[in-house]
Amino acid sequence: QVQLVESGGGLVQAGGSLRLSCAVSGRTFSSYAMGWFHQAPGKEREFVAAISWRGDKTYYTDSVKGRFTISRDNAKSTLYLQMNSLKPEDTGVYICAITIGMGDDPDDYNYWGQGTQVTVSS
C-alpha cells in the first residue's frame, strides 16, 4: 500500500519561507516522478511543480518560478518543496503526488497524500 505523508506546513507572514516534505512508503520511490499541487480554499487543485525520478529535471508553474524549489532525496524516499517569498495567494493545502509522466494534469498522477496546510498572512 502506497502512503504519502506531507509535513512542514504552518502559518507564516508574507515574504517568509517554509519547507514542505513528503515521505513516501510502499513504492520504490526512486522509480517515479513526483509533483506538488496547491488547493486554495474553494478552488480546484492546481499544479505547482514536478521533478523527474532522478531529480535532474524540474518543471514549475509560472507563478512560483524563482520562489519555489522542488527537490528529492531518493535515499530517504522524501520529496521537498522549498517555498520562499511567500504571498497570501499561496495560502492553501499543498499535496504531493506520484506520476509516471511529469505533466501538470492531476489526472496523470496516481497516488496522493492528504496534504499540509500553508497559511500566509499579509
Side-chain angles (χ1 to χ4, degrees), residues 14-111:
S17 298
L18 284 173
R19 190 193 195 202
L20 306 183
S21 299
C22 171
V24 180
S25 61
R27 280 270 173 170
T28 306
F29 177 76
S30 59
S31 298
Y32 297 92
M34 295 199 67
W36 286 99
F37 285 77
H38 169 228
Q39 188 159 21
K43 295 190 176 181
E44 295 290 320
R45 192 171 293 183
E46 296 181 338
F47 172 79
V48 175
I51 188 167
S52 62
W53 67 272
R54 283 195 295 191
D56 57 342
K57 297 178 183 178
T58 56
Y59 173 41
Y60 298 92
T61 192
D62 287 345
S63 63
V64 307
K65 286 180 181 176
R67 299 191 299 125
F68 291 9
T69 302
I70 188 171
S71 62
R72 65 191 295 161
D73 186 334
N74 286 346
K76 295 182 178 179
S77 297
T78 303
L79 176 72
Y80 303 100
L81 185 67
Q82 178 67 44
M83 310 165 69
N84 299 329
S85 302
L86 282 160
K87 305 175 181 180
E89 52 264 43
D90 295 321
T91 292
V93 177
Y94 284 78
I95 308 159
C96 62
I98 292 174
T99 180
I100 297 296
M102 257 189 70
D104 57 9
D105 185 347
D107 290 339
D108 292 335
Y109 289 74
N110 310 98
Y111 299 96

